[in-house]
Amino acid sequence: MITFTLSAILIIASISLPFTKSEPYEDKEALLDFIRNIHHSRSLNWDTNFPVCFLWTGVTCNSDNTRVVALRLPGMGLRGSIPSNTLSRLSSLQILSLRSNGISGDFPQDFSNLRNLTSLYLQSNKFTGSLPSDFSVWNSLTVLDLSGNRFNGSIPPSISSLNHLTSLNLSNNSLTGEIPDINIPSLQQINLTNNHLTGILPNSLMRYPSSAFSGNELSSQIAIPPATSAETPIPQPARKPRGKLTEPAILGIVLGGCVVSFAAIALLMICSYSRGKNDGGLPTTKTRLKKKKKKDIGGGDGKSNKLVFFEGCRLAFDLEDLLRASAEVLGKGSYGTTYKAALEDATTTVVVKRLKEVGVGKKEFEGQMEVVGGIKHENVCPLRAYYYSKDEKLMVYDFYDRGSVSVLLHGM
Ligand SMILES: *[C@@H]1O[C@H](CO)[C@@H](O)[C@H](O)[C@H]1NC(C)=O
Ligand SMILES: *[C@@H]1O[C@H](CO)[C@@H](O)[C@H](O)[C@H]1NC(C)=O
Ligand SMILES: *[C@@H]1O[C@H](CO)[C@@H](O)[C@H](O)[C@H]1NC(C)=O
Ligand SMILES: *[C@@H]1O[C@H](CO)[C@@H](O)[C@H](O)[C@H]1NC(C)=O
Ligand SMILES: *[C@@H]1O[C@H](CO)[C@@H](O)[C@H](O)[C@H]1NC(C)=O
């Protein structure tokens, strides 16, 4: 018994003696205030008698043990809100991970004191309320993961002041409003999926895969820059197919490819008139339209080159006409280039979307075009025809002259 006590004393002494001098005393107090005021279901060895820098679970100090620089408490069963004026006193903190707990309440306002934060992991908790409005206070931040919470409100534009940020994850929250222009050259990864974001994707974010924005209510994945007046012929195909056309991408193309004009209101009326007849049933019209369904026009090199028209459209031209048309670039998006093409017959103007890097096979492409062509919605420009060959994929829409559909929808 005596030997045991003696050795215990020796062990404690040998552990604590060399370190007690250089304890970050105030940081230790802050940590104790934190843990005493939040529910945690897993026990922590945060004993006042133990040296904080050497024995406390999840705590890392700087090299001279004068400050706590990292706190990692993932999956500790923390519940309730973060008590104010506790962690915020760890002013040298660089890494804070409280991920995968059950922490609720608002984003702690006093975290604005943690000016040296480089990584903040608060994902998979139950935080509510809005994101902090001024992100500029954390200008060393490189990783910000707030995914899997219940944050609502909009994404503050100040997030773009984080000019060292490399990874931003706000997925699986309840964020609303438009995505601000987040133009951060260092940003490598962004994930805004599964929120309720609306509006158009800003140009600055188009370099990221569209999957980073899925699960929202964005009106377009592709915004069309203002039309240029430069007249260029549609260049001949050259690209190797690559990448994959996802369904949101196709919807994006449909919406993005839509350009609205007065001229085509007439066209639309013609189209809906004939569609109406089709529904109502003048037998003569019906047969004629039926014959017209999926009229295939050979483009010169056998079965692979076909311009496929959808039912109920009066457009009549072939691929040759289309390629000879004088084309004007309306916009370049991540899925390809959009042209306004005026056919030589001088009465027909269409919008042609030339898709690039589409790695899908003919069958799959056709299937997806049938889905897109089947969409009948007042805000979605109907797809009139498409074209598939190994090197070239085109989508043909009616031409409208009043900016993009999203402009009409959002009155900008
Ligand atoms: C924050 O980091 C800077 C640069 O590394 C350092 O000079 C400063 O002392 C740190 N601030 C705190 C409160 O530790
Ligand atoms: C966010 O949610 C809170 C409830 O958690 C609610 O009071 C607040 O109005 C919501 N804010 C927005 C902008 O929806
Ligand atoms: C974002 O967070 C989700 C869920 O926490 C995770 O599955 C995903 O890998 C993260 N994405 C990035 C780019 O960090
Ligand atoms: C994100 O949300 C989606 C849909 O709500 C859900 O299926 C998925 O499991 C969530 N992912 C994470 C990592 O929480
Ligand atoms: C984004 O996060 C979701 C879950 O929140 C995940 O399923 C998805 O793979 C992530 N996407 C990217 C591009 O990281």
Side-chain angles (χ1 to χ4, degrees):
M1 185 64 197
I2 291 169
T3 30
F4 174 76
T5 319
L6 203 64
S7 59
I9 289 170
L10 277 176
I11 288 169
I12 291 172
S14 67
I15 290 168
S16 48
L17 274 179
F19 310 122
T20 35
K21 270 184 204 144
S22 51
E23 279 251 298
Y25 177 76
E26 287 174 2
D27 286 352
K28 189 172 183 175
E29 285 300 306
L31 289 167
L32 287 169
D33 283 349
F34 167 70
I35 208 68
R36 284 170 185 155
N37 289 291
I38 191 166
H39 174 93
H40 55 108
S41 54
R42 279 178 58 189
S43 66
L44 280 170
N45 64 346
W46 286 11
D47 190 310
T48 0
N49 299 316
F50 290 170
V52 61
C53 293
F54 296 90
L55 287 183
W56 283 28
T57 302
V59 179
T60 308
C61 296
N62 58 357
S63 56
D64 57 4
N65 302 321
T66 53
R67 297 302 308 263
V68 169
V69 293
L71 178 62
R72 295 182 182 87
L73 299 173
M76 285 291 170
L78 300 170
R79 276 211 309 272
S81 53
I82 293 178
S84 63
N85 195 29
T86 57
L87 296 184
S88 60
R89 280 146 57 198
L90 304 171
S91 55
S92 289
L93 207 58
Q94 292 166 18
I95 300 170
L96 177 59
S97 171
L98 300 173
R99 71 178 163 84
S100 309
N101 282 290
I103 304 172
S104 53
D106 287 348
F107 185 97
Q109 272 191 3
D110 58 10
F111 275 15
S112 59
N113 294 332
L114 304 176
R115 307 245 163 175
N116 275 11
L117 269 188
T118 58
S119 305
L120 181 59
Y121 302 97
L122 299 180
Q123 71 267 35
S124 305
N125 278 291
K126 291 173 182 166
F127 284 104
T128 50
S130 51
L131 298 177
S133 58
D134 185 11
F135 275 93
S136 66
V137 294
W138 298 289
N139 74 52
S140 304
L141 207 56
T142 59
V143 179
L144 178 61
D145 196 335
L146 304 178
S147 64
N149 280 289
R150 295 167 191 169
F151 287 116
N152 65 1
S154 55
I155 301 175
S158 69
I159 215 159
S160 61
S161 66
L162 299 174
N163 49 22
H164 295 105
L165 202 64
T166 59
S167 172
L168 173 65
N169 197 341
L170 302 177
S171 67
N172 281 36
N173 278 289
S174 303
L175 300 170
T176 52
E178 302 197 357
I179 303 175
D181 207 22
I182 302 175
N183 196 358
I184 307 173
S186 59
L187 190 62
Q188 288 160 12
Q189 286 188 314
I190 186 168
N191 192 337
L192 305 182
T193 58
N194 301 330
N195 280 289
H196 309 295
L197 299 164
T198 50
I200 322 167
L201 191 64
N203 281 329
S204 56
L205 294 178
M206 285 186 183
R207 63 190 173 105
Y208 303 99
S210 64
S211 61
F213 311 101
S214 62
N216 283 292
E217 289 129 47
L218 298 180
S219 53
S220 170
Q221 302 279 7
I222 299 160
I224 295 184
T228 59
S229 53
E231 294 250 320
T232 42
I234 296 182
Q236 287 305 305
R239 282 195 173 268
K240 277 231 153 146
R242 194 154 50 85
K244 211 168 164 37
L245 202 60
T246 60
E247 255 153 53
I250 290 182
L251 204 63
I253 289 162
V254 177
L255 290 164
C258 275
V259 183
V260 181
S261 107
F262 284 135
I265 288 171
L267 246 178
L268 248 186
M269 283 169 72
I270 293 166
C271 287
S272 53
Y273 180 55
S274 45
R275 203 182 292 142
K277 272 185 181 170
N278 198 13
D279 295 337
L282 270 184
T284 48
T285 323
K286 211 169 187 170
T287 29
R288 202 172 53 79
L289 286 171
K290 267 222 168 102
K291 266 187 212 147
K292 267 203 164 176
K293 186 182 183 182
K294 287 194 185 174
K295 179 177 59 173
D296 290 345
I297 299 171
D301 95 59
K303 278 182 182 157
S304 64
N305 271 1
K306 279 168 188 174
L307 194 57
V308 182
F309 284 86
F310 284 96
E311 184 173 11
C313 188
R314 296 263 172 117
L315 296 174
F317 49 82
D318 63 18
L319 188 66
E320 286 294 303
D321 294 336
L322 202 55
L323 293 177
R324 271 203 313 269
S326 74
E328 184 184 319
V329 176
L330 291 175
K332 285 197 168 94
S334 34
Y335 294 100
T337 305
T338 310
Y339 303 89
K340 168 187 169 186
L343 300 186
E344 283 180 333
D345 71 9
T347 60
T348 313
T349 302
V350 291
V351 170
V352 180
K353 184 111 198 156
R354 164 174 270 159
L355 306 178
K356 63 176 186 190
E357 297 175 356
V358 176
V360 300
K362 187 164 194 274
K363 276 265 144 58
E364 199 183 333
F365 184 84
E366 282 175 353
Q368 290 178 330
M369 288 303 110
E370 290 296 331
V371 171
V372 171
I375 297 174
K376 293 195 170 61
H377 187 275
E378 55 179 331
N379 294 330
V380 177
C381 231
L383 178 66
R384 292 309 183 194
Y386 64 88
Y387 171 79
Y388 180 97
S389 74
K390 195 159 156 284
D391 297 316
E392 183 76 297
K393 284 108 200 138
L394 303 173
M395 295 170 84
V396 181
Y397 302 88
D398 287 341
F399 175 72
Y400 298 78
D401 206 10
R402 292 284 307 264
S404 70
V405 165
S406 52
V407 170
L408 280 191
L409 288 176
H410 298 96
M412 306 184 304

